[in-house]
């Protein structure tokens, strides 16, 4: 009987002190390291943080395990990948405390609140102003013959920036999407695996223009002490990548998970976003000075629920492979 | 052989299908009926075939020189054989830019000569260039080492019989090393078929391969089942090529003898050019990793922070990641070369065993490391992470280790072992005093290749060891993704230097081991 009581006590102890298991993509690590320490101090809840490469891989891991998946919260599903996550019914709805502090309704990923947004950033065109003489006022200007083989973009099949750019062009041009890509194709020098490869080529002088982030000016000022390249969102209409966090359907620590989602919308967490993620926080916050060099879109283009990214990629592939 | 097939299935196929098993047949139809599928599949086959032929042609003279000489050039060729396994994509991209880019060395020379700069990169030719760069050293590695083993007497007898140099090469030497020729072609085809970084970095997405689609489904769209279908298609293509090429293989065995040495200026000159072709991008990558050309400054002040203890963007100290990499890679090297050796020896005793082994070993090449790692995490989560990582490295490096060792083991006549057995030598003493000393050099060589592959692997390491066992490549990846490009480039060079140093040390051992065998025989 005594032994039984000890086992029972130890079991209860292990349940009450079990950590909240939080999964994210790998580059979220610096934010997690600094922010979750504060969360534990505030709530007494320990966080066990795990990373699995990138967000798509993370979804693949959840689908491979489903109810056996040991995570309670997933951080880092963007508005594009959210369609896939919702279709697979991975998250449960939860309206967090402080939801009314979110600066714009355009930043809400899901009306059912299966994902809570915690940061956002726009895609932009960056260029070497000493090498580009012609004004770029709209995306169509980039189809001009003078820009032939001058632009580096990312592959939408391998890069989230590439996917975001594809969607941006779709949202800007709608039915003329395919016409735009046929006209734009001769301006492309190469299509890279990811953003890093593009930047490497851009920096080496392979091409004067590339698709990048609207916060590049801020990053460059912070890291190199000067803004090296001009940043542009044609017509001010930006496609915004919004990242969200959700509570996993199979969690047995619902209350703790809800507290973590609440925490994501507090200043204690949001202050870590700008200089780690190079994105914008979703609540009003005093920003680091270097963010004066970041470009905010004047208006945000939203994706409709019925847009199939796979269909868009298929159309894009056909145009790219046309001779 | 049944046991080997079962082991391969247990290590690769089983976790994959238990994790992402294709339960819905519609997924197969949907994936394969994608409008771009046939075009991408055709391009994948075409570029792999052309690349294989070119890599074999470019690598053959260098392999012959490597086999027939012992000087500095030959030693450098030996180190060059490791390039495909330690030169990571991030360094390759910057290395190729510095040589073939718009502002690269070649274009600067053209410009100095008053000629127009040319666009070398982002073309089909650039992909072939990249594949030859990465795969011609495999010809030197496998074929060169097999040619080295042809005994001096065989070639001298041919000379006495009046055969010329070319006739000896085509009628005596190459037929004797057919298994190595087949092994090289099979491996190169498989590597080119599943090529990903080279195609996208040097060519661009308009030249995408099936591997790009697998990456898309698995890592971007979160559709692992569709990725599994394509991985299966990849494997079928590779097996088809494997079966076709293995039909041409003839097994000719010869006794171990002295290395045939000859001096030929033309082939030496070619080998020097080959070395330049291989090393210029590496030197370019090295120069760019210590000097920031855009800002005209050395980057040492930036990288000093890497050595000041715990780094937030890496999540641990650099020393810890280096220790993890070295520990796991050494372990993988020992285990994989031992398994390969045991399998190759066993295959000698079974009719068709060696061929069977080659095809089975290619399963691992059809699966991307990240898919394999996720399947291990979900099916084998009871195994501690370091063991899973070593298992992953073993599976990924088994094709090359097995093919290399198989090439060595199958070519040598081992009748004297039976004689030793008749003389009463036990199985242990036969292994201890005959077999192991005979193949010690080959084993060490294979272990070093596995070590290099494991040191350079990051896709699977990032998933399996991100928390508890971050490796050196994970540190590079994390610096790169937190936009610390200069630091990441520098560490890539450090990684290369570590591997080259280890390779050089191991080569010394191989040479001294071979000398011992020669003197004792």
């Amino acid at each position: 009987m005594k032994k039984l009581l000890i086992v029972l006590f130890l079991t209860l102890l292990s349940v009450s002190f079990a950590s909240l298991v939080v999964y994210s993509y790998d580059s979220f690590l610096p934010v997690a390291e600094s922010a979750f320490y504060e969360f534990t101090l505030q709530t007494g809840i320990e966080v066990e943080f795990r990373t699995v490469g990138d967000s798509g891989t993370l979804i693949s891991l959840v689908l491979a395990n489903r109810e056996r998946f040991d995570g309670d919260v997933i951080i880092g599903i963007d508005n594009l990948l959210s369609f896939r996550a919702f279709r697979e019914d991975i998250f449960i709805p939860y309206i967090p405390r402080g939801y009314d502090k979110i600066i714009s309704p355009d930043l809400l990923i899901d009306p059912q609140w299966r994902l809570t947004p915690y940061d956002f950033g726009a895609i932009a065109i960056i260029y070497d102003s000493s090498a580009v003489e012609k004004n770029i006022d709209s995306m169509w200007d980039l189809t001009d013959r003078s820009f032939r083989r001058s632009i580096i973009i990312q592959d939408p099949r391998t890069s989230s920036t590439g996917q975001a750019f594809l969607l941006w062009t779709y949202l800007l041009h709608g039915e003329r999407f395919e016409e735009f890509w046929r006209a734009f194709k001769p301006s492309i020098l190469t299509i890279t695996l990811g953003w890093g490869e593009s930047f490497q080529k851009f920096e080496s002088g392979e091409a004067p223009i590339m698709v990048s982030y609207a916060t590049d000016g801020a990053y460059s000022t912070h890291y190199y002490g000067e803004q090296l390249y001009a940043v542009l969102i044609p017509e001010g209409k930006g496609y915004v990548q919004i990242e969200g966090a959700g509570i996993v359907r199979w969690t047995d620590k619902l209350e703790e998970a809800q507290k973590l989602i609440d925490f994501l919308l507090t200043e204690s967490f949001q202050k870590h976003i700008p200089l780690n993620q190079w994105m914008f926080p979703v609540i009003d916050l005093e920003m680091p000075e270097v963010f004066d060099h970041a470009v905010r879109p004047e208006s945000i283009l939203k994706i409709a629920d019925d847009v199939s990214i796979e269909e868009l990629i298929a159309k894009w592939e056909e145009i790219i492979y046309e001779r | 052989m049944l046991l080997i097939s079962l082991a391969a299935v247990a290590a690769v196929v089983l976790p994959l299908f238990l994790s992402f098993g294709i339960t819905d047949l519609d997924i197969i139809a949907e994936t394969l009926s994608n409008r771009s599928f046939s075009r991408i599949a055709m391009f994948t086959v075409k570029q792999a075939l052309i690349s294989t032929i070119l890599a074999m042609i470019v690598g053959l003279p260098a392999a012959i020189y490597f086999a027939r000489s012992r000087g500095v050039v030959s030693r450098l060729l030996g180190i060059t054989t490791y390039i495909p396994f330690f030169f990571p994509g991030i360094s390759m991209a910057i290395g190729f830019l510095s040589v073939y880019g718009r502002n690269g060395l070649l274009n600067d020379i053209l410009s100095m000569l008053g000629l127009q700069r040319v666009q070398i990169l982002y073309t089909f030719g650039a992909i072939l260039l990249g594949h030859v760069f990465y795969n011609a050293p495999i010809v030197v590695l496998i074929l060169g080492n097999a040619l080295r083993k042809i005994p001096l007497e065989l070639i001298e007898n041919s000379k006495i019989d009046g055969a010329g140099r070319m006739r000896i090469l085509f009628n005596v030497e190459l037929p004797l090393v057919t298994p190595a020729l087949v092994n090289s072609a099979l491996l190169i085809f498989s590597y080119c078929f599943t090529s990903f970084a080279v195609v996208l970095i040097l060519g661009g997405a308009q030249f995408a391969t099936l591997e790009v689609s697998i990456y898309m489904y698995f890592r971007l769209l979160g559709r692992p089942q569709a990725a599994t279908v394509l991985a299966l298609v990849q494997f079928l293509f590779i097996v088809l090529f494997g079966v076709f090429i293995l039909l041409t293989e003839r097994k000719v065995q010869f006794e171990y003898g002295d290395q045939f040495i000859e001096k030929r200026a033309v082939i030496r000159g070619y080998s020097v050019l080959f070395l330049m072709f291989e090393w210029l991008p590496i030197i370019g990558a090295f120069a760019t990793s210590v000097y920031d050309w855009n800002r005209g400054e050395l980057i040492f002040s930036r990288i000093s922070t890497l050595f000041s203890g715990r780094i937030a963007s890496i999540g641990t100290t650099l020393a810890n990641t280096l220790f993890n990499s070295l520990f796991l890679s050494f372990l993988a090297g020992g285990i994989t070369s031992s398994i390969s050796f045991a399998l190759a020896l066993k295959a000698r005793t079974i009719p068709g065993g060696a061929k069977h082994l080659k095809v089975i070993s290619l399963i691992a090449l059809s699966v991307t490391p990240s898919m394999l790692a996720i399947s291990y995490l979900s099916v084998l989560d009871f195994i501690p992470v370091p063991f899973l990582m070593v298992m992953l490295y073993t599976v990924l490096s088994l094709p090359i280790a097995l093919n290399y060792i198989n090439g060595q083991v199958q070519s040598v006549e081992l009748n004297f072992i039976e004689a030793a057995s008749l003389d009463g030598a036990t199985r242990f003493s036969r292994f201890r005093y005959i077999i192991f000393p005979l193949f010690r050099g080959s084993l060490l060589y294979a272990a070093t290749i596995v070590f290099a592959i494991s040191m350079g692997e990051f896709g699977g390491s990032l998933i399996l060891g991100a928390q508890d066992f971050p490796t050196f490549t994970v540190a590079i990846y994390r610096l790169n993704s937190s936009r610390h490009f200069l630091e990441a480039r520098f560490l890539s060079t450090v990684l290369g230097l570590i591997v080259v140093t280890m390779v050089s040390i191991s080569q010394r051992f191989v040479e001294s081991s071979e000398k011992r065998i020669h003197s004792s025989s």
Side-chain angles (χ1 to χ4, degrees):
Chain A
M1 186 62 188
K2 205 174 174 181
K3 274 184 184 170
L4 189 72
L5 279 173
I6 292 170
V7 170
L8 205 69
F9 174 74
L10 287 175
T11 313
L12 280 173
L13 206 68
S14 68
V15 168
S16 56
F17 286 100
S19 307
L20 186 71
V21 180
V22 178
Y23 273 88
S24 186
Y25 51 81
D26 198 74
S27 56
F28 194 76
L29 184 71
V31 180
E33 291 233 318
S34 39
F36 291 156
Y37 174 70
E38 289 180 58
F39 173 71
T40 304
L41 280 182
Q42 286 174 21
T43 61
I45 301 167
E46 292 283 342
V47 172
E48 190 181 329
F49 181 70
R50 294 180 192 167
T51 63
V52 189
D54 37 43
S55 302
T57 310
L58 185 47
I59 294 283
S60 292
L61 178 70
V62 179
L63 296 182
N65 286 278
R66 291 215 161 258
E67 56 273 14
R68 288 190 299 115
F69 182 66
D70 61 352
D72 302 297
V73 173
I74 290 178
I75 298 178
I77 305 298
D78 71 8
N79 40 345
L80 209 51
L81 197 58
S82 67
F83 294 127
R84 176 85 184 128
F86 296 155
R87 209 174 305 139
E88 294 293 341
D89 202 17
I90 292 170
F91 299 113
I92 50 172
Y94 173 64
I95 302 177
R97 282 185 192 169
Y99 74 94
D100 49 344
K101 287 190 286 183
I102 293 175
I103 51 180
S104 163
D106 284 337
L107 296 177
L108 300 185
I109 299 175
D110 176 32
Q112 295 180 47
W113 287 90
R114 284 167 293 186
L115 283 172
T116 295
Y118 63 86
D119 70 9
F120 71 100
I123 299 298
I125 304 289
I126 67 168
Y127 61 96
D128 178 357
S129 46
S130 63
V132 174
E133 290 162 6
K134 202 174 182 309
N135 269 353
I136 307 168
D137 296 320
S138 82
M139 208 68 103
W140 283 100
D141 289 340
L142 294 173
T143 63
D144 190 88
R145 280 181 64 84
S146 60
F147 289 120
R148 195 178 146 72
R149 301 208 82 182
S150 298
I151 304 170
I152 302 170
I153 67 167
Q154 298 86 41
D155 191 333
R157 296 166 300 186
T158 56
S159 149
S160 57
T161 328
Q163 273 194 5
F165 181 64
L166 186 74
L167 263 175
W168 190 17
T169 58
Y170 174 76
L171 295 172
L172 278 172
H173 306 118
E175 285 176 3
R176 294 184 70 197
F177 165 79
E178 288 169 72
E179 185 191 337
F180 168 77
W181 273 96
R182 281 198 176 86
F184 180 61
K185 192 175 149 186
S187 303
I188 301 169
L189 172 69
T190 187
I191 306 166
T192 68
L193 174 71
W195 179 88
E197 288 81 8
S198 289
F199 193 72
Q200 217 169 36
K201 286 168 180 164
F202 175 72
E203 260 205 323
S204 304
E206 292 289 295
I209 305 171
M210 78 170 265
V211 173
S212 189
Y213 298 102
T215 52
D216 270 16
Y219 168 77
S220 180
T221 310
H222 179 76
Y223 197 64
Y224 297 112
E226 57 181 326
Q227 184 170 352
L228 297 167
Y229 309 109
V231 182
L232 176 81
I233 296 179
E235 300 169 72
K237 293 176 187 168
Y239 170 75
V240 169
Q241 184 186 18
I242 309 164
E243 294 188 298
I247 300 170
V248 177
R249 173 159 302 283
W250 305 282
T251 179
D252 53 3
K253 299 186 198 75
L254 183 62
E255 202 180 318
E256 291 91 335
Q258 288 174 341
K259 280 186 181 158
L260 187 87
I261 299 288
D262 294 343
F263 176 73
L264 298 183
L265 294 182
T266 63
E267 198 176 327
S268 304
F269 175 82
Q270 291 280 312
K271 70 181 179 199
H272 295 286
I273 294 289
L275 295 181
N276 281 304
Q277 295 282 91
W278 296 101
M279 301 278 262
F280 290 101
V282 293
I283 65 171
D284 217 358
L285 204 67
E286 193 182 335
M287 296 293 283
E289 225 171 87
V290 290
F291 268 71
D292 294 346
H293 300 272
V295 178
R296 270 182 196 257
E298 289 156 23
S299 60
I300 294 175
L301 300 165
K302 295 225 32 155
I303 325 167
D305 287 348
D306 58 350
V307 172
S308 160
I309 182 69
E310 285 180 43
E311 189 57 37
L312 287 183
I313 289 174
K315 283 180 181 170
W316 176 86
E317 275 182 330
E318 276 197 14
I319 297 163
I320 291 299
Y321 294 141
E322 271 171 11
R323 293 195 185 275
Chain B
M1 278 304 107
L2 184 69
L3 205 66
I4 296 165
S5 308
L6 286 176
V9 169
V12 183
V13 183
L14 202 63
L16 207 64
F17 278 87
L18 283 177
S19 305
F20 319 117
I22 304 160
T23 47
D24 182 3
L25 289 180
D26 288 347
I27 286 183
I28 300 178
E30 185 201 331
T31 311
L32 302 186
S33 64
N34 183 300
R35 277 173 287 190
S36 304
F37 169 76
S38 57
R39 198 162 9 197
I40 292 176
M42 286 303 292
F43 175 76
T44 310
V45 175
K46 179 179 129 187
Q47 61 83 23
L49 278 174
I50 299 175
S51 298
T52 306
I53 293 166
L54 283 178
M56 296 291 289
I57 293 171
V58 172
L60 183 64
I64 293 169
Y65 188 78
F66 174 67
R68 300 280 165 257
S69 65
R70 278 191 199 144
V72 181
V73 175
S74 175
R75 194 165 292 150
L76 280 172
L77 283 172
I79 297 175
T80 306
T81 59
Y82 293 87
I83 287 178
F85 313 115
F86 77 78
F87 197 46
I90 170 182
S91 303
M92 183 269 283
I94 203 75
F96 268 69
L97 282 174
S98 62
V99 179
Y100 303 107
R102 197 170 274 190
N103 299 313
L105 182 70
L106 275 185
N107 267 320
D108 282 351
I109 292 172
L110 286 178
S111 178
M112 275 187 332
L113 295 173
L115 298 167
Q116 192 85 25
R117 285 176 185 268
V118 290
Q119 184 73 56
I120 303 167
L121 301 179
Y122 324 121
T123 57
F124 183 53
I127 295 173
L128 299 178
L129 196 72
H131 279 159
V132 171
F133 169 82
Y134 266 112
N135 294 295
I138 294 180
V139 183
V140 181
L141 170 73
I142 296 180
L143 194 63
N145 276 301
L147 283 169
R148 262 188 179 197
K149 292 223 180 305
I150 296 178
L152 172 75
E153 297 78 28
L154 265 177
I155 300 171
E156 284 186 341
N157 288 345
S158 309
K159 275 188 173 172
I160 291 166
D161 289 344
R165 189 68 200 91
M166 295 306 273
R167 195 155 172 213
I168 293 175
L169 176 68
F170 287 105
N171 291 0
V172 179
E173 292 178 281
L174 289 182
L176 281 175
V177 292
T178 317
L181 260 174
V182 168
N183 286 349
S184 319
L186 190 53
L187 262 183
I188 293 172
F189 179 83
S190 310
Y191 279 131
C192 293
F193 197 92
T194 55
S195 175
F196 176 68
V198 169
V199 173
L200 285 185
I201 291 173
L202 302 182
Q206 60 274 38
F207 301 108
T209 52
L210 278 174
E211 191 72 18
V212 176
S213 304
I214 294 177
Y215 185 105
M216 170 184 78
Y217 281 123
F218 191 75
R219 293 183 60 170
L220 244 81
L221 301 178
R223 293 191 56 197
Q225 288 193 332
T228 309
V229 171
L230 290 182
L232 201 65
V233 171
Q234 254 192 184
F235 178 63
L236 290 176
F237 268 112
I238 292 171
V239 167
L240 209 67
F241 179 79
V243 170
F244 172 72
I245 195 165
L246 285 172
L247 289 176
T248 63
E249 187 183 27
R250 279 177 300 139
K251 186 169 154 186
V252 187
Q253 292 181 333
F254 44 84
E255 284 181 11
Y256 206 93
D258 281 339
Q259 183 186 359
F260 175 67
I261 305 286
E262 67 173 354
K263 284 181 181 163
R264 290 179 74 90
V266 177
I267 210 162
R268 188 174 197 277
Y270 176 88
S271 297
V272 171
L273 281 177
F274 178 77
L275 284 174
M276 280 171 68
F277 169 69
E278 291 291 333
W279 284 95
L280 272 178
I282 294 173
I283 294 166
F286 177 76
T288 319
S289 70
V290 291
Y291 189 78
D292 184 356
W293 297 92
N294 293 318
R295 288 156 207 94
E297 59 184 29
L298 284 164
I299 64 161
F300 291 119
S301 59
R302 288 194 182 281
I303 56 173
S304 59
T305 53
L306 289 174
F307 306 100
S308 55
R310 199 171 185 285
I311 304 160
S313 51
I314 297 178
T316 182
T317 62
L318 200 58
N320 183 34
T321 63
L322 184 59
F323 171 78
N324 290 342
S325 279
L326 288 172
F327 173 67
L328 295 172
S329 305
F330 272 123
L331 211 58
I335 292 173
T336 314
S337 52
S338 305
I339 292 175
S340 306
F341 189 51
L343 290 176
L345 279 180
K346 185 76 193 157
R348 281 180 65 97
T349 61
I350 301 164
K355 291 182 181 181
H356 188 89
L357 212 58
K358 280 173 204 165
V359 174
I360 286 294
S361 74
L362 296 175
I363 289 182
L365 285 181
S366 316
V367 186
T368 53
S370 51
M371 278 179 83
L372 210 53
I374 286 284
S375 70
Y376 282 2
L377 265 192
S378 54
V379 177
L380 306 172
D381 56 348
F382 54 91
I383 299 176
V385 163
F387 291 107
L388 283 181
M389 291 173 84
V390 171
M391 191 170 153
L392 181 89
Y393 298 160
T394 298
V395 169
L396 295 179
S397 52
L398 200 64
I400 180 82
L402 196 56
N403 274 281
Y404 171 69
I405 288 187
N406 214 15
Q408 303 287 304
V409 171
Q410 303 306 321
S411 308
V412 181
E413 181 62 74
L414 293 177
N415 285 344
F416 55 89
I417 295 175
E418 278 176 34
S421 176
L422 289 173
D423 288 345
T426 62
R427 180 181 281 197
F428 175 75
S429 51
R430 286 200 305 268
F431 182 80
R432 167 79 179 79
Y433 297 108
I434 304 174
I435 301 173
F436 181 70
L438 189 62
F439 293 107
R440 187 167 36 201
S442 306
L443 267 169
L444 193 60
Y445 218 105
T448 317
I449 298 168
V450 178
F451 170 82
I453 293 174
S454 309
M455 286 292 288
E457 204 288 323
F458 99 90
S461 307
L462 182 66
I463 289 165
L464 292 174
Q467 276 73 242
D468 309 320
F469 251 78
T471 57
F472 203 66
T473 47
V474 169
I476 294 172
Y477 171 83
R478 285 180 172 164
L479 285 170
N480 216 22
S481 57
S482 59
R483 296 196 183 190
H484 293 86
F485 301 117
L486 297 175
E487 291 88 336
R489 263 184 229 169
F490 175 75
L491 288 191
S492 292
T493 301
V494 171
L495 176 69
L497 287 175
I498 292 171
V499 176
V500 168
T501 309
M502 298 304 295
V503 164
S504 307
I505 294 169
S506 122
Q507 269 211 323
R508 287 271 169 203
F509 278 111
V510 171
E511 279 168 17
S512 64
S513 161
E514 278 180 352
K515 272 180 198 160
R516 265 201 303 276
I517 296 168
H518 284 239
S519 58
S520 64
S521 66

